[in-house]
Amino acid sequence: MMPRQAPIGILGGTFDPVHFGHLRPAVELLQHLGLAEVRLVPGRVPPHRPPPRVGPGQRLAVLREAVAELPGLRVDDRELHRDGPSFTVDTLCSLRQELGDRPLCFALGTDAFLGLPRWHRWETLIDYAHLVVMERPGHPTRVSGAFAQWLEARRTRDPYDLRARPAGQVYFLPVTQLDISATGVRRLLARGESARCLMPERAWRELAGRGWYGYPQV
Ligand code: ATP
């Protein structure tokens, strides 16, 4: 059966803080796959990494400013209202309950994809959404063994498949390579250096103007 509605894209992350390496791939995802929208979903307690440098309210405020002038991108703060670790599978399950059989595309960079087998209930993610892997500088996609077999069984090279069914496929989307990471941004800020032009100006003003991440007030 052909779902009538355009798919919805989801980009989860810590966004500590958001930068153009998140936003440009999100815009390309939106355009190249003809999505209705891309929702950026900040996590409250990331299960697979050290705690974020700043709290959820601050990360959310910067993220909201970042997407304020980007049509088709919006923030979904559902993980911030949930207790305990922010498991992606719980997020996709709740989205699926809301969206019926509308296709969902969960996007992640190659670095995150390579760590997928360590995620909570990772094999069930694909029951709720397609996975769209965005190549990230320095993280070529080389998989082997059981994970490679799992991938080959679900991989499609036809983006139409992502519209034709609600979930279940893995698609690799080439995106503009931007060697920007939140780690690099935090490192600059900790040294008192500007991160201007690594994120939208509105987001930068919010972050710098409030003196977050130890950056001096401007
Ligand atoms: P950190 O440096 O703190 O680990 P990060 O820059 O990787 O953070 P996250 O919020 O952890 O940012 O990433 C959220 C999602 O965005 C992940 O799927 C990640 O792979 C992807 N992503 C982040 N930066 C890029 C980039 N420059 N290009 C493509 N994808 C990216």
Side-chain angles (χ1 to χ4, degrees):
M1 186 186 69
M2 172 68 190
R4 286 180 296 272
Q5 293 173 300
I8 290 185
I10 307 294
L11 179 61
T14 315
F15 302 107
D16 185 30
V18 63
H19 52 72
F20 282 129
H22 300 122
L23 298 172
R24 179 63 205 174
V27 168
E28 293 181 359
L29 191 68
L30 183 76
Q31 293 185 134
H32 294 175
L33 299 181
L35 306 182
E37 62 184 23
V38 175
R39 298 191 193 180
L40 302 161
V41 185
R44 198 174 74 90
V45 183
H48 311 286
R49 46 176 292 155
R53 171 76 170 72
V54 305
Q58 293 159 301
R59 289 182 285 121
L60 182 63
V62 177
L63 190 55
R64 285 202 198 288
E65 288 300 318
V67 301
E69 290 167 4
L70 299 178
L73 265 54
R74 53 172 282 212
V75 178
D76 183 324
D77 64 0
R78 71 185 59 220
E79 289 192 358
L80 304 183
H81 302 299
R82 259 194 343 245
D83 289 333
S86 305
F87 291 125
T88 297
V89 68
D90 296 335
T91 302
L92 295 181
C93 180
S94 81
L95 283 161
R96 176 54 66 212
Q97 280 166 5
E98 283 168 27
L99 297 170
D101 68 356
R102 185 168 192 161
L104 265 179
C105 294
F106 179 73
L108 69 183
T110 37
D111 58 317
F113 180 70
L114 294 174
L116 197 70
R118 292 190 295 275
W119 290 22
H120 180 59
R121 293 178 54 213
W122 73 275
E123 281 168 295
T124 57
L125 293 174
I126 200 111
D127 296 337
Y128 301 113
H130 301 296
L131 301 185
V132 178
V133 185
M134 311 177 297
E135 187 127 306
R136 196 169 174 183
H139 297 275
T141 318
R142 278 192 219 102
V143 294
S144 56
F147 188 41
Q149 282 172 9
W150 177 92
L151 172 60
E152 261 335 290
R154 289 157 185 85
R155 184 167 179 175
T156 178
R157 289 168 175 78
D158 183 356
Y160 179 81
D161 285 342
L162 307 180
R163 308 180 75 84
R165 52 189 73 98
Q169 309 263 222
V170 183
Y171 181 76
F172 284 73
L173 178 73
V175 293
T176 300
Q177 299 291 285
L178 293 171
D179 196 0
I180 307 174
S181 67
T183 303
V185 172
R186 290 194 302 273
R187 205 171 285 143
L188 285 176
L189 297 171
R191 292 199 299 255
E193 292 175 28
S194 165
R196 190 162 253 151
C197 297
L198 293 174
M199 65 184 69
E201 186 61 18
R202 285 179 66 139
W204 169 246
R205 283 208 202 104
E206 176 76 9
L207 183 161
R210 294 178 182 271
W212 290 339
Y213 293 91
Y215 184 77
Q217 302 257 346
V218 289

